[in-house]
Amino acid sequence: MNPDTARRPIDVAAALIRRDDKFLICQRPAHKARGLLWEFAGGKVEEGESPAGALIRECREELGVTLEVGGLFMELTHSYPDITVHLSLFEATLAQGEPQKLEHADLRWVRAEDLPAYAFCPADAAIIRVIAERFARRGSHI
């Protein structure tokens, strides 16, 4: 990959989807970069698209659901050897549908305290720490 491309961040939107005291996590397909690692639902923001709009589109395409996107939970920039991503993570709820494995290898609803047991994409490490600090202490009082 061109070194200039690796340095220029790609905008990615992701969803922190909660149901009661659990969060939806998705396992990347084996054939994709960072295959079989876990992540939060979402994807690349296309030109002319807002991050929230991208999130709604990606979740419709990859999970077969309609999201209600809330506020920004956190954002970060992470450099992988092949790409740099600027990740915006939004709080979200399911407005319609039940998540389906249309593109992912697996889907799971997981409690905050159990998230560290999963092998997440490196960009999500800081997110997992913040979720653990913010939600695991409070238990189900999210």
Side-chain angles (χ1 to χ4, degrees), residues 10-96:
I10 305 269
D11 287 322
V12 174
L16 187 59
I17 303 170
R18 292 187 300 200
R19 176 182 285 162
D20 299 320
D21 63 344
K22 294 183 180 178
F23 299 91
L24 180 66
I25 61 173
C26 306
Q27 188 178 40
R28 292 179 62 82
H31 68 278
K32 288 197 170 183
R34 289 157 284 287
L36 300 180
L37 292 179
W38 292 87
E39 64 183 359
F40 296 98
K44 292 178 185 170
V45 178
E46 294 179 357
E47 190 163 335
E49 195 173 42
S50 70
L55 199 48
I56 291 167
R57 175 186 51 77
E58 288 281 355
C59 288
R60 188 178 304 121
E61 292 171 359
E62 296 182 357
L63 299 173
V65 298
T66 302
L67 280 190
E68 183 174 313
V69 179
L72 183 66
F73 182 80
M74 70 181 287
E75 58 185 330
L76 59 89
T77 299
H78 183 85
S79 293
Y80 290 103
D82 59 329
I83 192 172
T84 297
V85 296
H86 178 259
L87 176 65
S88 299
L89 180 71
F90 292 87
E91 295 191 55
T93 55
L94 296 175
Q96 187 175 19

Side-chain angles (χ1 to χ4, degrees), residues 93-131:
T93 55
L94 296 175
Q96 187 175 19
E98 188 62 29
Q100 304 167 53
K101 292 186 285 185
L102 301 178
E103 289 197 22
H104 293 94
D106 200 1
L107 304 173
R108 297 212 181 142
W109 290 98
V110 179
R111 294 179 193 276
E113 60 267 22
D114 297 327
L115 289 171
Y118 292 84
F120 273 83
C121 292
D124 292 325
I127 294 168
I128 300 303
R129 283 193 300 275
V130 171
I131 291 171

